[in-house]
Amino acid sequence: MTPAINLAKKHRIEHEVLAYEHDANAESFGDEAVAKLGLPAEQVFKTLVVMLDTKELVVAVIPVNKKLNLKLMAKAASAKKAVMADKLLVEKTTGYVLGGVSPLGQKKRLRTIIDTSAKVFEIIYVSAGKRGLDIGLSPLELGSLTQGCFAEVAV
């Protein structure tokens, strides 16, 4: 169990855990999850962390087949500018390694913005807290568990 799975269980959130054998040579963690789990790319979401001009770290949850628009992310977070956060800072703050960063169960809960495209699905899949492990749950439940909001941040 990971902190992400434990959080879903603790709150009695309906979820499913999917595992696959992670390939250390995979170039894209998200694309690997899509291929190995046989899921549509628009239903599998990646967890990215940005730093705002205010020095606040904020999580973006976007489909693996899209790119984060930093201008839209900054606007959604009511900031002037957003840049991708330093890898080591992300790992230290979330408690997860890159490729396994989950929006759930982070060591320090970060403000979370989920791309609005998630709302069209009954279930979306996000990292469950380690490489090769995803958790499927309702996007509304994800929003509730992370105290997140929905905004258009991916293109």
Side-chain angles (χ1 to χ4, degrees), residues 42-63:
E42 55 276 358
Q43 200 171 359
V44 179
F45 284 64
K46 55 189 170 184
T47 306
L48 303 173
V49 181
V50 300
M51 180 174 282
L52 304 177
D53 55 307
T54 60
K55 302 299 180 207
E56 178 189 5
L57 292 176
V58 180
V59 170
V61 181
I62 68 168

Side-chain angles (χ1 to χ4, degrees), residues 89-110:
L89 183 58
V90 170
E91 291 180 347
K92 180 181 174 188
T93 306
T94 65
Y96 294 122
V97 297
L98 289 188
V101 176
S102 178
L104 301 167
Q106 297 171 353
K107 191 161 64 169
K108 178 184 178 192
R109 185 190 299 202
L110 300 176

Side-chain angles (χ1 to χ4, degrees), residues 4 7 11 13 47 59 61 102-106 108-114 126 137-150:
L7 183 66
H11 290 274
I13 300 299
T47 306
V59 170
V61 181
S102 178
L104 301 167
Q106 297 171 353
K108 178 184 178 192
R109 185 190 299 202
L110 300 176
R111 188 157 52 121
T112 301
I113 298 173
I114 304 162
V126 297
L137 72 168
S138 152
L140 297 179
E141 295 284 17
L142 177 64
S144 175
L145 286 173
T146 59
Q147 296 179 348
C149 67
F150 291 85

Side-chain angles (χ1 to χ4, degrees), residues 54-85:
T54 60
K55 302 299 180 207
E56 178 189 5
L57 292 176
V58 180
V59 170
V61 181
I62 68 168
V64 299
N65 63 339
K66 294 198 173 180
K67 295 198 181 311
L68 179 64
N69 182 307
L70 292 169
K71 286 184 180 182
L72 290 175
M73 184 65 182
K75 182 179 176 185
S78 301
K80 292 179 183 167
K81 187 176 179 184
V83 297
M84 295 306 298

Side-chain angles (χ1 to χ4, degrees), residues 7 16-17 22 32 53 57 68 72 77 88-89 100 121-122 133-134 139 142 155:
L7 183 66
E16 69 173 318
V17 177
H22 167 63
E32 179 187 29
D53 55 307
L57 292 176
L68 179 64
L72 290 175
L88 293 176
L89 183 58
F121 299 104
E122 286 184 34
L133 197 63
D134 274 29
L142 177 64
V155 293

